[in-house]
Amino acid sequence: MSKQFDVVVIGGGPGGYIAAIRAAQLGFNTACIDDWKNEKGGPAPGGTCTNVGCIPSKALLQSSEHFEQAGHHFADHGIGLSNLTMDVAKMIGRKDTVVKQNNDGILFLFKKNKVAFFHGRGSFVKGGDAGYEIKVTGAAEESLTAKHVIIATGSNARALPGAPFDEDLILSNDGALRIPSVPKKLGVIGSGVIGLEMGSVWRRLGAEVTVLEALPTFLGAVDETIAKEAQKALKKQGLNIELGVKIGEVKAGKGGVTVAYANAKGEAQTLAVDRLIVSIGRVPNTNGLNADAVGLKLDERGAIAVDDECKTNLPNVWAVGDVVRGPMLAHKAEEEGVAVAERIAGQHGHVNFNTIPWVIYTSPEIAWVGQTEQQLKASGRAYKAGSFPFMANGRARALGDTTGMVKMLADAKTDEILGVHIVGPYASELIAEAVVAMEFKASAEDIARICHAHPSLSEATKEAALAVDKRTLNF
């Protein structure tokens, strides 16, 4: 007997579990299907973000940052240490504990909000007047019927042609998070978020890290000024970053991994490493969804085709997150999940792609929202720019971390904030002020006139706003 639901969500990552909770809050009889498993085979909702992405990477970044501070910076504070060691197994164990806490938290939220949870893989069987029949394949097979279906099946790491992931020597984000010991030499292909964050973790712990990037510029999507500052800081820390390379044959064997490549000058090179992280993007995950059974349309990238409201070509079938167009960001998926649940309820769900923040959790952190200076130049829009360095910020000096700056871009006539770009300490937290300001269409003058606590890093944002009008007070 098929179990009847108003809304069935396929996928329990950030987009899926949030969509399910919001739908339940709105009074819908809701179910969520997710097939992630923990090491004991039990449910581990939260998707890539919680299990092998955002959450575990931040746990390792925090541990490695403590190690870096203890080894290189505590002495500046008068703190003496000797015989500093790193227990990698314990660090990985702490990371796993953090992940489990988040898994368990989502299961608790399902119970709290009366969302029925099914552990297994969800796939379409058929559609009809009564709704959509969904099969759950897991420890126990189930049949569900839903009036509305929200697909939130996420994405998978993209592998290099001819070099599949074995998660031992050739690693995706998954394997990069559970390397059992510090490699002497680590290679990273791709200087995106995952590559730089994981490269930073193992560099801090003592690995010699080389990053190979095909593009001729570093972090091409980031404001050029910020990207240059970040590249300079990361190179100073010891990350070897090679741009404009062309990857050739990749071979894995008992001795490690060798990568044949041509450098930016076209010269043949070979990189020999103990392990290789491949971070060249992600692909939408529609595996096992059985989209053909109901005629669900995919686009040219293999993503589920949706309109601006996340509607698919099928009535009452929606899709959110990494499996659709737009940035593959957990918080973007969450916002879409909430918006879709509210649209099902007849409300007006809201997602503004222009104010979605981006963050890279290296040290220094890199965060931005809105347009870059190069985008404004390309579009021909007249703008004003202002920046303020953390070396002139009192709180940054006290922290002992003065790398980077805040940069603000505003319309030349209206002064509306068009973009804010930060490289420096706690950029991931500071960017929220800019997101709020831009969502309410604030001007640079608005931020310049708002009182900021002293001493605080946020004063750098105020000073950058003042700099738009060329009237900084502390630089």
Side-chain angles (χ1 to χ4, degrees):
M1 182 71 180
S2 185
K3 297 177 180 177
Q4 305 284 324
F5 292 94
D6 298 321
V7 178
V8 168
V9 182
I10 303 176
Y17 89 78
I18 289 293
I21 289 171
R22 185 66 184 124
Q25 289 176 344
L26 290 165
F28 294 112
N29 182 19
T30 305
C32 184
I33 306 165
D34 188 77
D35 68 341
W36 277 88
K37 298 180 180 67
N38 58 30
E39 59 183 10
K40 296 180 180 178
T48 293
C49 173
T50 296
N51 291 290
V52 293
C54 319
I55 301 302
S57 64
K58 302 312 160 287
L60 292 187
L61 281 161
Q62 188 64 59
S63 296
S64 65
E65 178 68 13
H66 285 324
F67 186 77
E68 173 100 349
Q69 289 291 326
H72 299 282
H73 303 291
F74 275 10
D76 295 339
H77 298 266
I79 303 170
L81 289 174
S82 60
N83 301 320
L84 185 67
T85 62
M86 167 54 74
D87 186 335
V88 173
K90 191 165 186 177
M91 177 183 75
I92 298 295
R94 176 186 177 274
K95 177 262 295 181
D96 292 340
T97 297
V98 171
V99 168
K100 187 177 186 303
Q101 289 170 340
N102 281 269
N103 295 146
D104 292 346
I106 294 168
L107 291 171
F108 166 77
L109 290 170
F110 282 158
K111 289 180 180 178
K112 176 184 175 183
N113 290 279
K114 296 181 174 59
V115 174
F117 176 70
F118 294 90
H119 188 207
R121 181 175 288 270
S123 60
F124 285 102
V125 177
K126 62 181 180 180
D129 294 338
Y132 294 89
E133 185 180 342
I134 308 293
K135 180 174 72 173
V136 181
T137 305
E141 192 166 296
E142 300 271 5
S143 177
L144 314 182
T145 300
K147 296 177 184 176
H148 289 266
V149 178
I150 303 174
I151 304 165
T153 46
S155 61
N156 296 316
R158 186 191 302 275
L160 275 171
F165 298 117
D166 60 16
E167 304 302 5
D168 178 28
L169 296 175
I170 300 177
L171 313 171
S172 69
N173 53 295
D174 187 357
L177 290 162
R178 46 187 174 86
I179 298 174
S181 60
V182 180
K184 289 183 179 180
K185 291 187 176 182
L186 176 68
V188 180
I189 297 180
S191 65
V193 176
I194 296 168
L196 290 178
E197 290 184 359
M198 288 299 93
S200 293
V201 166
W202 297 106
R203 195 280 309 163
R204 292 171 188 167
L205 301 182
E208 180 184 323
V209 180
T210 299
V211 179
L212 303 178
E213 170 57 55
L215 294 175
T217 56
F218 182 67
L219 294 177
V222 178
D223 186 89
E224 190 174 355
T225 306
I226 300 299
K228 286 180 178 178
E229 185 74 13
Q231 183 180 12
K232 183 172 67 175
L234 293 172
K235 280 190 172 183
K236 185 177 180 181
Q237 293 169 12
L239 273 183
N240 178 28
I241 301 169
E242 291 196 44
L243 302 174
V245 309
K246 185 176 181 180
I247 303 297
E249 188 177 25
V250 177
K251 289 184 179 179
K254 291 183 180 180
V257 185
T258 58
V259 181
Y261 70 97
N263 64 18
K265 296 179 181 178
E267 299 165 337
Q269 305 287 324
T270 300
L271 176 68
V273 294
D274 300 301
R275 284 184 165 84
L276 178 70
I277 298 172
V278 176
S279 173
I280 57 171
R282 299 183 65 81
V283 294
N285 175 28
T286 56
N287 298 335
L289 194 58
N290 200 21
D292 291 343
V294 288
L296 180 65
K297 182 180 178 182
L298 307 183
D299 67 17
E300 64 279 358
R301 297 186 310 114
I304 295 173
V306 293
D307 65 10
D308 291 344
E309 294 193 333
C310 293
K311 294 177 181 177
T312 71
N313 65 305
L314 301 175
N316 298 334
V317 177
W318 314 70
V320 302
D322 285 7
V323 80
V324 303
R325 80 289 178 267
M328 290 184 174
L329 298 169
H331 43 283
K332 173 260 195 183
E334 290 179 344
E335 295 304 308
E336 287 183 330
V338 169
V340 164
E342 292 176 349
R343 288 163 186 158
I344 291 172
Q347 299 179 11
H348 300 283
H350 167 79
V351 182
N352 183 357
F353 276 46
N354 295 322
T355 55
I356 293 175
W358 297 69
V359 181
I360 303 175
Y361 294 87
T362 47
S363 180
E365 290 186 347
I366 307 161
W368 70 97
V369 61
Q371 297 182 76
T372 64
E373 189 164 2
Q374 53 264 41
Q375 286 174 325
L376 291 173
K377 285 179 179 177
S379 68
R381 187 163 186 176
Y383 67 92
K384 300 178 290 183
S387 62
F388 187 83
F390 283 109
M391 69 177 182
N393 176 269
R395 182 66 190 278
R397 291 193 191 114
L399 285 172
D401 190 355
T402 57
T403 301
M405 69 184 78
V406 178
K407 179 178 179 178
M408 186 173 292
L409 303 167
D411 186 274
K413 292 182 179 179
T414 67
D415 199 39
E416 179 186 349
I417 299 171
L418 304 176
V420 176
H421 308 270
I422 307 172
V423 55
Y426 298 101
S428 57
E429 302 296 334
L430 294 174
I431 200 65
E433 178 181 14
V435 175
V436 172
M438 288 182 63
E439 189 65 44
F440 285 93
K441 295 192 177 297
S443 66
E445 184 70 8
D446 288 328
I447 299 298
R449 292 288 178 182
I450 292 172
C451 183
H452 289 64
H454 177 76
S456 69
L457 295 172
S458 67
E459 287 178 290
T461 304
K462 177 187 175 80
E463 291 277 4
L466 288 165
V468 169
D469 194 41
K470 297 180 172 55
R471 63 179 206 271
T472 54
L473 298 171
N474 287 284
F475 184 68

